[in-house]
Amino acid sequence: MKQRLMMSGNEAIALGAYEAGVAVGAGYPGTPSTEILESLTGYQGVYTEWSVNEKTALEVGLGTALAGARSLVTMKHVGLNVAADPLFTSVYTGVKGGLVVVNADDPDMHSSQNEQDNRHYARAAKLPMLEPADSEEARRFTSLAFDISERFDTPVILRSTTRISHSRSPVSPSGERRPRADTPRFERNLKKYVMIPAHARARHRAVEERLLALAEYAETFTENRIEPGRGGFGIITSGVAYEYVREVFPDAPILKLGLVWPLPGKLIVRFAAEHETLYVVEELDPFLETEIKAMGIKARGKDFLPRTGEFSPGLLRRAFQAEGKTDASAEGLRSSLRLPPRPPTLCPGCPHRTVFKILGRLGVTVSGDIGCYTLGVLPPFQAMDTCVEMGGSVGLAQGIEIAEGIDGAGETEGAGRTAAVIGDSTFAHSGLTGLVNAAYNGRRILIIVLDNSTTAMTGMQPNPFSGERIDGKPAPAVDYRTLAAAVGLADGDVAIVDAYKPKEVEEAIERFLSARRLSLLVVKGPCIIWKRKRERTTDKRG
Amino acid sequence: MQSTGQEKIWNILMAGVGGQGIILASDVLAAAALAAGFDAKKSEIHGMSQRGGSVTSHVRFGRTVHSPVIEEGCADVLLSLELMETLRWLPFTHAGTGLIVSTEKILPANVAEYPAGIEEEIRTLAPRARFLDPAALAEKIGDKKYVNVALCGVLADILELPETAWRRAIDAHVPGGTADANWRAFCIGRDLSSSCPGPGVSSR
Ligand code: SF4
């Protein structure tokens, strides 16, 4: 019997990439995608890095691919927004070595600020997208994605969702690693790699032709499969929704799509013709459904299935019961006692607590950002007024300051008391550009960087401010004072204080807010979970 | 009980609070099921839930498992590591579900007083629930750290997975150097359960 291992979807993707002979892995941490790169770092002969953000990660991956080696780039769904710029044009340049972008969506927003359905990116950017339904498929599809990438000279997206990334199921490793073709070497190809309009026009035509070829390939692609059955209706589905459908309808005929873009039109038409009623079961947007209806096929889906949140077998059973297609779902026990909710909170002793206590008391407008410290919005602090996207705090604060200052040049009571609060990793990701913008345009906000020595939210990854790389090797840490000076801040407008000295933190915040100049306050205090983890590993090593 | 065709699928829901070791306990269970030759799936949510929030882990095993999550009303066993969390996840259970409940009480953040009447409510709704005192269990084991694996031992009596499968799973998942201590904790949990009446799983 083949060896079987319990693996998360994320671990399986890393294994699949390793087996496919991946040379480079790059990404930015983001739940639920983070463990892919961490896992890949454990394999011999693969270079991995936490890039400063997703855009840079994709550029590193594309460079690798153009030089002829295989690369894997990982990110969560909103990360692909950041990387969208290189993504769209990488479809024009094509690749030489395979380039696979792993995109992890988060239906139900277990750890995200929105619930966008990134299948739309595949259609918009015109590249193929694969979607596995369990860990073994995650391994196999990753490997297949590299083959498709090289065969069709295109980047490929592998779409995961939280349930795929973080569920564990058996995986059978191939036990082999694809050998590298030859030594990677970048070869000049101006018409393909330099996207000036004259070159890009030709490339766009190539992209459209490639998409037709891919659609033809999709018709016979073995991971698009019809599972025959009985029951008077057919279901088209993909990803984890397939597993839920199978749970509720063990015998129903199903067209399971492994390649969700481009779609196999002829296969779909053939399947639809065999069934009186056709259902499309997909989480989030009616992506497949809209395309299928556009083929002139009658289909049902989002008229009775939700567009928000995750699916589950229970949810599908209830929905299809109302359709008269299945029996009632099981009744669970219920208590009428009202329980207090148990939301996540900042850990006891967390270094971020001090700042939020103070900001809450001062009544400052706080534009917040993405990280553990977003929990500063919850009681007892409630010291955050906005949180939109990575790095957004710095830019948003500037807009608030401008608007509030338009009439009285910011001299009205309370106006101008605007602070941006951002973590070290998020600041490196995309807060830096906001800082440059503020200095350039003469803003007077206070930027507070909560430096806890790590990227805590996603499980303790190093970053450009923490002086370490993904494999634990030392790296130069960005120096706040030099950075601020380079941007144009005066010495007196920068301070670095200890998170565990509340008096000093408070004094600095008060001083900067009343000075009404662009200022940078770095509040330093290591994440206590990170510190404990670190002490444990040093104990073991020592 | 839930079956796909003729084959029984076991549904075990573990519930508790971030930091209680649920992920490890469910990893051990899923690996034991796999080592015993079953198909197995397990699902839980990382991220925000780890900072003191509610945590659940779904483990399912049998001949062929599709969904990684359990359907409401279909859990064969609910193993709860925290008293109040038992009620939160009760909709996953039915009258025949085996309930194993640790009486540990952990206050949610910003809640001054632990709600009253929880244990009575569980006893009323699930008369066959078994309550375990985590302090007493920890004392028996000699270390609080291994209580989660001891609770796997309590499960062992119900699930009838071979002992070798459990041992292999524990060896593979617990931190280096603690395999023997964890195995002892597991055995203490297992012996606890065979000396007591079973938690009443309706069907095997
Ligand atoms: S993980 Fe670290 S940074 Fe995050 S809340 Fe806990 S102590 Fe604070």
Side-chain angles (χ1 to χ4, degrees):
Chain A
M1 201 172 84
K2 256 194 161 176
Q3 186 198 15
R4 289 191 311 161
L5 302 169
M6 280 304 267
M7 280 195 178
S8 69
N10 282 348
E11 289 165 353
I13 291 168
L15 173 64
Y18 173 77
E19 291 177 348
V22 74
V24 170
Y28 182 81
T31 312
S33 71
T34 314
E35 300 84 6
I36 302 168
L37 216 53
E38 290 182 322
S39 177
L40 190 60
T41 305
Y43 291 98
Q44 293 286 316
V46 186
Y47 167 86
T48 55
E49 69 168 48
W50 286 128
S51 303
V52 70
N53 59 35
E54 295 86 353
K55 170 172 143 59
T56 310
L58 182 48
E59 289 153 357
V60 169
L62 179 60
T64 301
L66 294 187
R70 289 188 161 188
S71 67
L72 186 81
V73 181
T74 70
M75 61 197 64
K76 68 182 295 175
H77 63 330
V78 284
L80 197 55
N81 299 336
V82 179
D85 204 355
L87 178 76
F88 277 71
T89 308
S90 69
V91 177
Y92 281 37
T93 63
V95 300
K96 193 171 153 204
L99 171 58
V100 176
V101 179
V102 184
N103 163 89
D105 282 10
D106 189 16
D108 221 31
M109 295 175 275
H110 295 285
S111 191
S112 301
Q113 67 269 37
N114 79 25
E115 205 172 22
Q116 67 188 53
D117 184 335
N118 275 8
R119 291 177 300 172
H120 297 294
Y121 269 116
R123 180 167 49 195
K126 303 171 190 282
L127 76 166
M129 177 182 267
L130 290 157
E131 186 176 30
D134 63 15
S135 296
E136 173 59 17
E137 284 195 357
R139 178 193 73 83
R140 222 174 47 232
F141 284 19
T142 306
S143 204
L144 276 171
F146 279 107
D147 295 339
I148 294 173
S149 174
E150 285 174 6
R151 173 163 167 196
F152 290 92
D153 186 19
T154 177
V156 174
I157 300 181
L158 182 88
R159 176 187 189 240
S160 175
T161 55
T162 303
R163 282 294 163 194
I164 298 297
S165 281
H166 284 173
S167 293
R168 306 181 87 81
S169 59
V171 168
S172 306
S174 73
E176 283 160 26
R177 179 160 204 230
R178 183 183 173 275
R180 241 185 227 165
D182 25 48
T183 318
R185 179 129 208 101
F186 180 82
E187 280 163 32
R188 196 170 216 204
N189 189 343
L190 301 182
K191 290 203 166 127
K192 191 158 179 279
Y193 300 154
V194 184
M195 286 301 98
I196 53 171
H199 297 169
R201 280 184 203 109
R203 289 305 300 164
H204 187 188
R205 285 192 292 275
V207 168
E208 297 299 336
E209 278 160 26
R210 177 207 292 154
L211 212 49
L212 292 177
L214 275 161
E216 204 47 52
Y217 171 79
E219 300 288 354
T220 52
F221 180 53
T222 48
E223 302 295 346
N224 289 336
R225 62 166 192 261
I226 291 175
E227 296 178 1
R230 54 197 145 83
F233 58 92
I235 298 175
I236 299 183
T237 185
S238 76
V240 77
Y242 162 80
E243 306 290 0
Y244 301 150
V245 168
R246 264 287 164 252
E247 198 69 41
V248 178
F249 299 111
D251 304 315
I254 291 181
L255 168 55
K256 178 186 180 297
L257 296 173
L259 189 66
V260 292
W261 192 259
L263 292 176
K266 284 175 247 169
L267 186 65
I268 290 171
V269 167
R270 181 149 53 87
F271 181 73
E274 285 165 15
H275 305 286
E276 188 70 23
T277 313
L278 183 70
Y279 290 107
V280 182
V281 179
E282 54 190 327
E283 289 180 324
L284 302 179
D285 294 342
F287 178 81
L288 302 174
E289 186 181 337
T290 307
E291 288 296 326
I292 289 166
K293 283 177 171 167
M295 295 171 192
I297 295 168
K298 253 179 66 192
R300 307 264 327 268
K302 293 299 171 182
D303 59 312
F304 74 108
L305 293 169
R307 291 168 188 241
T308 58
E310 280 190 294
F311 283 1
S312 67
L315 181 144
L316 290 187
R317 200 182 300 277
R318 284 186 296 274
F320 277 97
Q321 185 201 343
E323 287 282 302
K325 297 292 184 222
T326 179
D327 298 341
S329 47
E331 279 290 326
L333 299 181
R334 262 170 220 280
S335 156
S336 51
L337 275 191
R338 294 264 310 243
L339 298 178
R342 195 188 288 277
T345 49
L346 291 176
C347 304
C350 170
H352 301 330
R353 289 180 162 260
T354 329
V355 171
F356 287 118
K357 253 186 245 162
I358 296 166
L359 289 173
R361 202 159 58 226
L362 291 178
V364 186
T365 303
V366 176
S367 69
D369 226 300
I370 311 276
C372 283
Y373 51 90
T374 315
L375 294 170
V377 69
L378 299 179
F381 309 107
Q382 290 177 293
M384 189 171 291
D385 299 292
T386 64
C387 171
V388 179
E389 96 302 0
M390 289 288 290
S393 62
V394 186
L396 247 132
Q398 296 172 49
I400 294 172
E401 188 221 305
I402 297 167
E404 289 192 341
I406 280 173
D407 298 327
E411 299 310 320
T412 42
E413 177 88 34
R417 284 168 73 85
T418 306
V421 173
I422 185 167
D424 47 347
S425 186
T426 311
F427 189 50
H429 176 282
S430 49
L432 284 173
T433 42
L435 170 67
V436 176
N437 189 67
Y440 171 55
N441 289 302
R443 290 281 75 73
R444 304 190 297 171
I445 55 162
L446 165 60
I447 299 169
I448 303 176
V449 177
L450 303 175
D451 186 325
N452 61 355
S453 311
T454 184
T455 316
M457 180 75 223
T458 44
M460 317 300 156
Q461 291 75 33
N463 66 61
F465 284 97
S466 66
E468 210 180 66
R469 296 205 181 98
I470 194 170
D471 54 4
K473 299 232 170 74
V478 180
D479 181 75
Y480 288 103
R481 284 191 178 281
T482 327
L483 174 75
V487 167
L489 268 70
D491 236 15
D493 295 330
V494 186
I496 299 176
V497 293
D498 183 339
Y500 291 102
K501 295 190 175 145
K503 265 197 114 141
E504 286 178 24
V505 179
E506 179 152 10
E507 270 165 25
I509 293 178
E510 290 270 27
R511 176 158 51 90
F512 284 141
L513 283 175
S514 50
R516 297 196 168 188
R517 291 164 58 80
L518 175 62
S519 42
L520 179 68
L521 173 63
V522 182
V523 183
K524 259 188 174 292
C527 160
I528 51 163
I529 306 291
W530 172 79
K531 215 170 119 190
R532 251 182 249 152
K533 213 168 132 183
R534 169 130 314 208
E535 280 159 6
R536 271 206 304 270
T537 36
T538 5
D539 278 359
K540 255 191 244 153
R541 279 187 200 139
Chain B
M1 189 193 92
Q2 202 179 358
S3 23
T4 302
Q6 301 303 311
E7 305 292 337
K8 159 124 188 80
I9 304 286
W10 283 93
N11 295 320
I12 294 93
L13 184 67
M14 296 190 187
V17 175
Q20 282 193 305
I22 288 192
I23 310 285
L24 176 74
S26 55
D27 273 343
V28 167
L29 168 57
L34 189 75
F38 289 106
D39 186 17
K41 281 189 179 166
K42 142 181 155 121
S43 187
E44 72 249 333
I45 297 299
H46 306 206
M48 283 291 218
S49 51
Q50 286 178 327
R51 275 145 203 84
S54 284
V55 176
T56 54
S57 186
H58 300 228
V59 180
R60 311 189 67 218
F61 65 90
R63 212 167 90 106
T64 306
V65 178
H66 284 292
S67 167
V69 296
I70 299 169
E71 195 170 332
E72 292 88 335
C74 292
D76 295 291
V77 182
L78 168 60
L79 172 64
S80 176
L81 273 66
E82 204 275 348
L83 193 60
M84 183 196 323
E85 293 308 309
T86 317
L87 283 188
R88 211 185 296 282
W89 302 103
L90 215 55
F92 280 89
T93 66
H94 55 90
T97 300
L99 250 73
I100 304 167
V101 180
S102 160
T103 53
E104 173 115 51
K105 293 179 180 172
I106 302 174
L107 265 187
N110 310 313
V111 173
E113 230 180 294
Y114 202 86
I118 302 265
E119 194 169 327
E120 295 69 30
E121 177 80 351
I122 300 172
R123 283 187 197 281
T124 313
L125 291 168
R128 288 188 298 180
R130 275 185 54 196
F131 293 87
L132 295 167
D133 175 6
L137 190 55
E139 200 181 325
K140 240 187 188 165
I141 301 165
D143 196 330
K144 207 174 160 225
K145 272 202 305 254
Y146 307 132
V147 167
N148 54 349
V149 173
L151 290 171
C152 283
V154 180
L155 275 178
D157 184 53
I158 309 169
L159 303 179
E160 298 177 335
L161 294 169
E163 189 167 299
T164 47
W166 283 106
R167 177 76 219 214
R168 263 168 64 192
I170 288 173
D171 287 352
H173 283 91
V174 302
T178 67
D180 287 337
N182 272 295
W183 179 247
R184 271 195 302 278
F186 175 86
C187 294
I188 288 170
R190 187 196 53 198
D191 297 346
L192 204 68
S193 87
S194 32
S195 59
C196 307
V201 172
S202 60
S203 51
R204 296 225 165 139

